[in-house]
Amino acid sequence: MSAGVKGLRGHILISHTHWDHIQGIPFFAPLFVPGNEWDIYGPKGLGQSLREVLAGQMDYTYFPVTLDQCGANIRYHDLVEGTFEIEDIKVSTRYLNHPALTLGYRLETDGVTVVYACDHEPHSRILANGQGEITGYDLQHAQFIAGADLLIHDAQYTAEEYPAKIGWGHSTVEYAVKLSNKAEVKRLALTHHDPSRDDDALDRLLASAKAELRENAASLEVFAASEGYALNLVRAHEKHAACCVGDFQAQTLVDPALTEPSVIIGIADLKTGAALFEAIQAEGIHAKLCSDPDEARKFIAEDRPSLAILEHDPPRIDGMETCRAIRQQDNDPEHSMPVLIVASELDQARGVSAGVTDWLIKPFTGAYARTKVRAWVLRTACEGMRRALPQGEEPRFAPPPLPIGPPRLRTQRAKGSPRQMPHRGTEARRSSDKEISTEKAALLWMYCREVAPFETPSFGKKIGQLIAHATNTPAEM
Ligand SMILES: [Zn+2]
Ligand SMILES: [Zn+2]
């Protein structure tokens, strides 16, 4: 803009909508200039859309201009885990460990890879000290950042500070350095600096990290990110590490697989149970209590829940045993329901043998519980969408045209022609109207895409509901 360029075109990738990551948006002048075009990407939630969440911080009470009054043409993209493209850049997304659903972004283009991973907390509390073996979800995180030419990583705390900050959703410098070394990252930009640290304190922290790397003869280059710092990355000649994220289209509208999601809960501790119920209710999810493995199996067969949350605190309650019983019933172990174990300690080895998917370590906050539930319900929905497609069809799983705005009929898009984007600015629509038009859009889109066989019962049921809903509503398409 300062160079007088008109018609600016850009993309903004948001990891999550905590205020420290979105408060710049209302003050970002290029969004207010007519003729500019912006695409804003962020993680999909279970209730509000990304656009609605961003509009919330520009509500009358907080800001004189609403999001819809921005002059530029803005498109919003709600993302799940997977991949998508921005021009010639391949973008892969993966959930991070934070008390809000947060995406890490891996960008690959021209033989160069950049990964952005803020805000993220180590899954293993030992690894936060930079010690121990990298396993489980920390290993998957290492695979996500593998071979990056530049990794921009959360490093808010030091190992010494971490014990007082458990559950705050941030990494330590030691963790970021250890994972970068393991994942053969070339350059590491430490960021999300603690607000109480001044520049001198940051310099000291950096000097000690560099000294340790020199001692271990590590080739990793580390620096502290600072405002306005620019870095030129050039293609390296060695082979690049492949990204571990699959080909699922990250912009897929997964809502058709999200009607009436349910969760089963096996918790003995009253306080933990109450906290979990509150978290699940806040996400608008139906919860069923089960007290023993038989009951769990019965619920799974009847309801096909998105997730099971089981407490493990023997002899009072043996979540691992229930998990094992659930797994024995699985006829398709590769696509089985996720099981989240609530325990005081992570027991990776026993968890793997019992078929545990993920852990919620006590004590946890309500925000952490909500995020875990949200992530797994969304992952199950994505898995449902993926399985509904014939093999090898994933790349066609593009988003439907109108999550927001008046519905309009859309003919099948010719290969290579630009995708029609959702219209903005229809805040006043009643939510039921919006729901119906979203359902119609989803239905139409499925027909257009010839996604015919919906083998899973939950999917079949959803399609039935969609057809009933759409045919009972006056046509406006
Ligand atoms: Zn955050
Ligand atoms: Zn943050």
Side-chain angles (χ1 to χ4, degrees):
M1 275 177 74
S2 53
V5 179
K6 295 264 182 318
L8 285 175
R9 174 94 180 84
H11 302 264
I12 302 173
L13 305 170
I14 299 170
S15 60
H16 63 311
T17 51
H18 275 166
W19 257 333
D20 56 321
H21 294 255
I22 61 166
Q23 266 185 339
I25 288 178
F27 306 94
F28 186 54
L31 290 180
F32 294 88
V33 179
N36 286 354
E37 255 186 73
W38 291 94
D39 287 90
I40 303 183
Y41 306 79
K44 178 189 167 48
L46 284 180
Q48 288 178 304
S49 66
L50 173 67
R51 184 195 151 280
E52 286 166 329
V53 175
L54 294 177
Q57 73 161 347
M58 291 171 78
D59 178 80
Y60 166 77
T61 313
Y62 310 110
F63 207 70
V65 183
T66 67
L67 193 58
D68 289 337
Q69 287 168 339
C70 289
N73 187 20
I74 308 170
R75 290 176 289 258
Y76 302 89
H77 306 265
D78 292 67
L79 303 174
V80 290
E81 281 182 315
T83 58
F84 67 103
E85 261 140 43
I86 297 176
E87 289 158 22
D88 60 347
I89 303 170
K90 182 187 168 201
V91 185
S92 304
T93 59
R94 204 183 137 71
Y95 293 137
L96 304 177
N97 191 32
H98 195 61
L101 199 60
T102 302
L103 283 175
Y105 293 102
R106 181 182 172 102
L107 284 70
E108 293 166 82
T109 190
D110 269 343
V112 169
T113 301
V114 176
V115 180
Y116 175 84
C118 293
D119 307 8
H120 175 75
E121 179 163 353
H123 293 269
S124 150
R125 289 175 189 176
I126 302 165
L127 271 177
N129 296 327
Q131 269 139 37
E133 221 188 305
I134 304 170
T135 57
Y137 286 99
D138 290 304
L139 186 60
Q140 289 191 20
H141 185 62
Q143 285 160 353
F144 183 67
I145 62 174
D149 297 276
L150 171 65
L151 167 65
I152 305 159
H153 202 282
D154 190 324
Q156 182 157 349
Y157 304 121
T158 62
E160 202 186 343
E161 293 159 348
Y162 182 69
K165 311 288 182 185
I166 291 172
W168 291 34
H170 295 286
S171 290
T172 60
V173 176
E174 289 82 352
Y175 173 84
V177 168
K178 183 175 172 101
L179 258 72
S180 298
N181 266 328
K182 161 91 182 173
E184 295 178 358
V185 165
K186 292 179 192 73
R187 265 176 227 91
L188 166 65
L190 304 173
T191 190
H192 212 291
H193 308 305
D194 191 88
S196 66
R197 224 185 294 286
D198 62 15
D199 285 357
D200 290 341
L202 265 179
D203 285 343
R204 285 194 295 274
L205 212 139
L206 192 62
S208 86
K210 280 181 172 173
E212 192 157 343
L213 283 168
R214 266 196 308 273
E215 227 166 80
N216 298 321
S219 62
L220 174 70
E221 195 185 301
V222 61
F223 63 99
S226 58
E227 200 163 317
Y229 186 77
L231 192 62
N232 204 8
L233 297 170
V234 258
R235 177 200 287 263
H237 289 290
E238 67 255 46
K239 210 174 158 271
H240 249 257
C243 178
C244 58
V245 174
D247 274 340
F248 190 72
Q249 166 55 252
Q251 296 189 66
T252 302
L253 183 97
V254 295
D255 301 66
L258 276 173
T259 42
E260 297 170 37
S262 68
V263 170
I264 57 170
I265 301 184
I267 302 283
D269 181 59
L270 274 179
K271 227 176 113 194
T272 309
L276 276 169
F277 258 108
E278 204 176 302
I280 289 161
Q281 231 168 15
E283 289 297 303
I285 295 165
H286 181 69
K288 248 184 184 174
L289 268 178
C290 71
S291 50
D292 60 57
D294 285 340
E295 210 171 19
R297 283 198 286 223
K298 195 173 136 256
F299 285 158
I300 292 164
E302 281 169 4
D303 279 11
R304 296 183 160 264
S306 301
L307 168 70
I309 306 174
L310 308 170
E311 189 180 8
H312 184 70
D313 185 16
R316 192 163 58 148
I317 185 164
D318 195 331
M320 296 271 210
E321 198 43 51
T322 307
C323 182
R324 206 170 273 119
I326 291 170
R327 293 303 180 225
Q328 276 162 9
Q329 188 178 258
D330 279 347
N331 35 24
D332 186 1
E334 274 196 26
H335 304 106
S336 48
M337 178 191 61
V339 175
L340 186 65
I341 292 284
V342 180
S344 323
E345 256 171 55
L346 190 141
D347 187 347
Q348 202 77 260
R350 282 196 61 209
V352 169
S353 83
V356 173
T357 320
D358 197 3
W359 298 79
L360 191 55
I361 303 301
K362 289 190 276 191
F364 55 83
T365 61
Y368 246 111
R370 263 185 95 162
T371 307
K372 285 268 184 198
V373 169
R374 191 181 272 202
W376 282 111
V377 166
L378 281 163
R379 278 173 168 155
T380 302
C382 292
E383 186 55 34
M385 300 292 275
R386 196 199 324 258
R387 291 170 76 194
L389 278 176
Q391 274 200 337
E393 290 288 294
E394 282 90 335
R396 286 174 60 200
F397 234 117
L402 17 95
I404 310 155
R408 54 175 63 181
L409 188 62
R410 176 167 166 274
T411 48
Q412 189 148 9
R413 184 164 58 97
K415 250 197 166 153
S417 68
R419 184 174 298 141
Q420 201 176 337
M421 292 301 182
H423 280 232
R424 60 195 183 87
T426 47
E427 194 85 305
R429 291 179 70 85
R430 280 182 296 125
S431 67
S432 60
D433 278 13
K434 213 152 87 183
E435 235 166 67
I436 290 163
S437 64
T438 306
E439 287 184 356
K440 280 185 180 174
L443 186 65
L444 242 183
W445 160 76
M446 282 184 233
Y447 282 152
C448 288
R449 294 276 162 191
E450 295 161 14
V451 187
F454 295 98
E455 271 117 3
T456 57
S458 60
F459 220 126
K461 189 174 144 210
K462 173 61 190 163
I463 295 304
Q465 284 168 348
L466 280 173
I467 293 169
H469 212 132
T471 48
N472 285 332
T473 314
E476 26 165 344
M477 294 189 165

